[in-house]
Amino acid sequence: MKVEIVAVGTELLLGQIVDTNSSWMGAELAAAGLDSHFQTKVGDNPARIEAVLRQALDRSDAVICCGGLGPTQDDLTREVIAEVMGVDLVLDEAIEARIRDMFGSRGRTMPENNLRQAMVPVGASPIPQQPGTAPGLVCPVGDKVIYAVPGVPYEMKEMVTGTIVDDLRRRAGEQGVIASRVLRTWGMSESGLAEVLADRITELDDGGDATLAFLASGVEGLKVRITAKGVDQDDVVAKLDAEEAVIRPLLGDIVFGLDDDTIESVVLGRLRELGLTLAVAESVTGGYMAGRICAVPGASRVFRGGVVAYTPEMKRSVLGVPDGPVVNDDAALAMAEGVRRVTGADVGLATTGVAGPDSLEGQKPGTVYVGLSLPEGYESGSQLFRMPGDRERVRQFTTISLMNLLRQRLG
Amino acid sequence: MKVEIVAVGTELLLGQIVDTNSSWMGAELAAAGLDSHFQTKVGDNPARIEAVLRQALDRSDAVICCGGLGPTQDDLTREVIAEVMGVDLVLDEAIEARIRDMFGSRGRTMPENNLRQAMVPVGASPIPQQPGTAPGLVCPVGDKVIYAVPGVPYEMKEMVTGTIVDDLRRRAGEQGVIASRVLRTWGMSESGLAEVLADRITELDDGGDATLAFLASGVEGLKVRITAKGVDQDDVVAKLDAEEAVIRPLLGDIVFGLDDDTIESVVLGRLRELGLTLAVAESVTGGYMAGRICAVPGASRVFRGGVVAYTPEMKRSVLGVPDGPVVNDDAALAMAEGVRRVTGADVGLATTGVAGPDSLEGQKPGTVYVGLSLPEGYESGSQLFRMPGDRERVRQFTTISLMNLLRQRLG
């Protein structure tokens, strides 16, 4: 079953918007065991959209066409698909009613333009999920199919996961279901992970119930994805559980979470269980770590706040760091203790170091000290990390490394 | 002159890497007045790469093929292009010497694999810019051309701006040079800008020396791009100057910078001129604003630091906000004054508000108060903003709105 993706929109060709939709769909198709050999971007031009769709149908079994379903004259996907199917567009009254309701519920009248969105090629059927005004469409063309989905990412995603992937797998004659589970890790390099899991991957290649893949994702951690097929949901979950049980002992304590967990959400959850509050003192990360923590919904139940102490003077006056160098073990710990004192939090974290491009206090860019000040019964202290890369990577790696260290010390 | 982009790499189809290269090249081509109607992603499969290249040559005049120039067996672009050209690959001794030198200068011996990178189709010529081990290639095919560039973004960019855009314009018979200038703005919506500039855009459409385009870019501001063509560099700069002189008065004080300026770099520069230091107190932005400020090289000369006061208690204890509500004018100003006092900075900025999804103190998500505490002679105070959108947009819009307000008050 070969599936091809076509993204429609002149703004994509002009680079005004990066086409992340196709990348996301490519990952979903791969996880579902569906082949995808081509992804094409084409502008809002009917002849060129039609040529691309015809070619895609020619060399693949199914096409997902993303974008061009809005209410304006620039939104041409419906018309072009009807042309490719060799049919007319007709008004779908159920869709019209749904769109009118959406406007009505916000106290507004539907502009007549939006009626265009209720036009459907004869023989096509709407996709049940419709989070916005644009309906998705399943459009059969002979024994092949074009799926039309809007370019708004969350609308497209709901349709792909809610309808399209299952429909494709059914067409491919796949009886069962497929599912993935991501183990989020920190503390081992990608090549280190590959080495630790090499034997297991070989076993699985020789005929196993699951496959494994890695993906380095910056502050989101290094992801290990388990994918399995099964006859039904229970079966596939059992297979994911079984594989997780095999690799967890190989990975050890580097696994900090599953699927959509982030290091911040995991650590905030653990602190909440323990009834502890958190504060951060940042120099090299300059507010980035606090920003990540505050992005977790409900952070305010645990996070008290932080101090960005960007100058040596502020490290001394606000956080009570003693005179002397400010990029070392002692300064990191003093900052962590200081921010606990200032905020009254139970746990204080601190970062100090050299983001680059210049050296500081004779230390090279990428040199980072982190400090942890914890309540009695937990291990306080500081630690040196040497980070590779640029300013952005230094602050991402510092944040996840320090939060992971806290996770390990909280037990 | 129609130019098509082909991005090679299975990791692009699988969504492990988002193809930002094609978007960047699309923007460069558009700025140079070159049409680009299709962008295709294809995996590391020689038959499919060949089919895509042949089709691209068929429907366009030139193809930029990005990726697949590395030293491994997966890197197939050179072989496939030779096939399309109908020629053999030969070893280019100058390229070989250059690659050996690169390894030598790092005290390493070149692995034999890297010799693959010195293989060039007969009739192709290397692109002079070569920042990495992968040489770019100009490969004539009849009266058309394929440019091969590596997938590493900075290597690709150097070759596109250093050689390919000029070569394409020469082939298109364009004699002169083309250049753009971006005016960065904040304080007017995209539709407001379009209205203010509508008459001027009509004049330019009727035959002017420049074109105008808008691009909304979050915390980077709303960009107005002027593009002009001229017989030489002096001529094009004169045309950009002339157009800027026409539209500046129409835009007024919303222009905060040019080209790569950010609101943070502009404000830090101005503070430095005035000999003033800066500190920030953040609630709704949660460290994001400090993080943006610290991303500016040399920020430490002006920025003293900040306080992330995420709880009402911390706003009171550290910043001295009086008892009572913490999402209003008075609290915002008290936070700004408080952070000045705590850090000893000359200028204090503050944010407090509701990031959502829940309401707070009876105020809806998107309600934001900012405070500015400035030295005598400048206007201190606070201001209410009502932001649209999600948590991420609230913090981006709050940051640029507050920094822009400071810019205006500094004069």
Side-chain angles (χ1 to χ4, degrees), chain B residues 8-325:
Chain B
V8 177
T10 301
E11 69 282 8
L12 300 172
L13 293 178
L14 296 178
Q16 294 174 343
I17 296 178
V18 174
D19 174 29
T20 53
N21 283 345
S22 297
S23 305
W24 182 88
M25 286 188 272
E28 291 299 300
L29 293 174
L34 296 159
D35 288 328
S36 170
H37 292 160
F38 304 95
Q39 297 180 359
T40 307
K41 285 182 258 183
V42 60
D44 299 312
N45 173 290
R48 288 195 283 270
I49 300 172
E50 185 177 337
V52 167
L53 288 179
R54 285 192 190 278
Q55 179 185 41
L57 281 177
D58 194 45
R59 64 188 175 189
S60 300
D61 305 300
V63 184
I64 307 179
C65 179
C66 183
L69 294 180
T72 78
Q73 300 291 335
D74 279 351
D75 292 297
L76 303 162
T77 298
R78 281 174 297 265
E79 282 78 358
V80 173
I81 291 178
E83 189 69 32
V84 170
M85 295 172 75
V87 301
D88 289 330
L89 288 165
V90 290
L91 184 75
D92 184 307
E93 293 180 0
I95 296 179
E96 180 189 347
R98 215 189 301 173
I99 299 175
R100 282 195 195 280
D101 277 357
M102 282 189 190
F103 280 94
S105 71
R106 293 176 213 151
R108 294 171 54 201
T109 309
M110 183 187 83
E112 284 308 295
N113 260 348
N114 286 78
L115 263 190
R116 287 172 54 86
Q117 299 188 291
M119 300 299 288
V120 170
V122 172
S125 49
I127 290 175
Q129 295 79 21
Q130 189 191 325
T133 58
L137 298 170
V138 182
C139 310
V141 188
D143 60 346
K144 300 189 172 183
V145 62
I146 303 175
Y147 304 96
V149 295
V152 179
Y154 80 93
E155 295 180 21
M156 175 277 292
K157 289 178 184 177
E158 228 173 270
M159 295 178 189
V160 169
T161 52
T163 295
I164 295 174
V165 167
D166 289 343
D167 195 53
L168 282 168
R169 298 194 73 243
R170 214 188 52 242
R171 285 169 186 268
E174 299 275 356
Q175 296 298 323
V177 296
I178 195 159
S180 291
R181 182 176 300 167
V182 172
L183 272 57
R184 298 229 183 183
T185 78
W186 194 248
M188 201 180 274
S189 69
E190 200 167 351
S191 55
L193 269 180
E195 215 176 299
V196 164
L197 294 177
D199 290 349
R200 181 60 188 160
I201 290 171
T202 307
E203 282 173 33
L204 291 173
D205 282 349
D206 289 348
D209 279 339
T211 58
L212 299 178
F214 309 133
L215 184 59
S217 311
V219 73
E220 298 286 332
L222 217 157
K223 299 174 184 170
V224 178
R225 177 152 82 172
I226 312 170
T227 303
K229 294 185 188 186
V231 295
D232 56 23
Q233 194 61 26
D234 287 348
D235 184 42
V236 78
V237 168
K239 285 174 175 160
L240 291 174
D241 288 344
E243 188 56 32
E244 187 182 339
V246 173
I247 64 172
R248 278 247 184 198
L250 302 173
L251 298 172
D253 191 38
I254 65 169
V255 179
F256 65 77
L258 291 177
D259 295 327
D260 292 334
D261 289 339
T262 62
I263 191 72
E264 297 86 18
S265 71
V266 167
V267 168
L268 289 179
R270 185 74 185 116
L271 287 167
R272 203 174 163 204
E273 279 171 12
L274 295 168
L276 299 173
T277 57
L278 175 68
V280 299
E282 301 184 66
S283 177
V284 68
T285 47
Y288 178 80
M289 188 160 64
R292 288 282 309 179
I293 291 169
C294 293
V296 179
S300 58
R301 282 189 288 255
V302 170
F303 185 59
R304 302 201 51 127
V307 172
V308 180
Y310 211 58
T311 60
E313 297 71 41
M314 195 166 155
K315 291 184 183 71
R316 295 189 182 108
S317 64
V318 180
L319 296 173
V321 173
D323 287 347

Side-chain angles (χ1 to χ4, degrees), chain A residues 85 92 95 120-128 136-140:
Chain A
M85 294 172 75
D92 184 307
I95 296 179
V120 169
V122 173
S125 49
I127 289 175
L137 298 170
V138 182
C139 309

Side-chain angles (χ1 to χ4, degrees), chain A residues 183 185-189 192-204 212 214 224 226 242-255:
Chain A
L183 272 57
T185 77
W186 193 249
M188 201 181 275
S189 69
L193 268 180
E195 214 177 298
V196 163
L197 294 176
D199 290 348
R200 180 60 187 160
I201 290 171
T202 308
E203 282 174 32
L204 291 173
L212 299 178
F214 310 133
V224 179
I226 312 171
E243 188 56 31
E244 187 182 339
V246 173
I247 64 172
R248 277 248 185 196
L250 301 174
L251 297 172
D253 191 38
I254 64 169
V255 179

Side-chain angles (χ1 to χ4, degrees), chain A residues 241-274:
Chain A
D241 288 345
E243 188 56 31
E244 187 182 339
V246 173
I247 64 172
R248 277 248 185 196
L250 301 174
L251 297 172
D253 191 38
I254 64 169
V255 179
F256 65 78
L258 292 177
D259 296 327
D260 292 334
D261 289 339
T262 61
I263 191 73
E264 297 87 16
S265 70
V266 167
V267 168
L268 289 179
R270 184 75 184 116
L271 287 168
R272 205 176 161 203
E273 280 172 11
L274 296 169

Side-chain angles (χ1 to χ4, degrees), chain A residues 41-301:
Chain A
K41 286 182 257 183
V42 60
D44 300 312
N45 173 289
R48 288 195 283 269
I49 299 173
E50 186 178 334
V52 167
L53 288 179
R54 286 192 190 278
Q55 179 186 42
L57 281 176
D58 194 45
R59 64 187 174 189
S60 299
D61 305 300
V63 183
I64 307 178
C65 178
C66 183
L69 294 180
T72 76
Q73 301 290 334
D74 279 352
D75 293 296
L76 303 161
T77 298
R78 280 174 298 264
E79 284 78 358
V80 173
I81 290 178
E83 189 70 32
V84 170
M85 294 172 75
V87 300
D88 289 330
L89 288 166
V90 290
L91 184 75
D92 184 307
E93 294 180 0
I95 296 179
E96 180 189 347
R98 216 189 302 174
I99 300 175
R100 282 195 195 281
D101 277 357
M102 282 188 191
F103 279 94
S105 71
R106 292 175 214 151
R108 294 171 55 201
T109 309
M110 182 187 84
E112 284 309 293
N113 260 349
N114 286 79
L115 264 190
R116 287 173 53 86
Q117 297 187 293
M119 299 299 288
V120 169
V122 173
S125 49
I127 289 175
Q129 295 79 21
Q130 190 191 327
T133 59
L137 298 170
V138 182
C139 309
V141 188
D143 60 346
K144 300 188 171 183
V145 62
I146 303 176
Y147 304 96
V149 296
V152 180
Y154 80 91
E155 297 180 20
M156 175 278 291
K157 289 178 185 177
E158 227 174 270
M159 296 178 189
V160 170
T161 52
T163 294
I164 295 173
V165 167
D166 289 342
D167 195 52
L168 282 168
R169 297 195 73 242
R170 214 188 50 243
R171 285 169 188 269
E174 298 275 356
Q175 297 298 323
V177 296
I178 195 159
S180 291
R181 183 176 299 165
V182 172
L183 272 57
R184 297 227 183 183
T185 77
W186 193 249
M188 201 181 275
S189 69
E190 200 167 349
S191 55
L193 268 180
E195 214 177 298
V196 163
L197 294 176
D199 290 348
R200 180 60 187 160
I201 290 171
T202 308
E203 282 174 32
L204 291 173
D205 282 349
D206 289 348
D209 280 339
T211 58
L212 299 178
F214 310 133
L215 184 58
S217 311
V219 73
E220 298 285 332
L222 217 158
K223 299 174 183 170
V224 179
R225 177 151 84 172
I226 312 171
T227 303
K229 294 186 187 185
V231 295
D232 57 24
Q233 195 59 26
D234 287 349
D235 183 42
V236 78
V237 169
K239 284 174 175 160
L240 291 173
D241 288 345
E243 188 56 31
E244 187 182 339
V246 173
I247 64 172
R248 277 248 185 196
L250 301 174
L251 297 172
D253 191 38
I254 64 169
V255 179
F256 65 78
L258 292 177
D259 296 327
D260 292 334
D261 289 339
T262 61
I263 191 73
E264 297 87 16
S265 70
V266 167
V267 168
L268 289 179
R270 184 75 184 116
L271 287 168
R272 205 176 161 203
E273 280 172 11
L274 296 169
L276 299 174
T277 57
L278 174 68
V280 299
E282 301 183 65
S283 177
V284 68
T285 49
Y288 178 80
M289 188 160 63
R292 288 281 310 179
I293 290 169
C294 293
V296 179
S300 58
R301 283 190 287 253

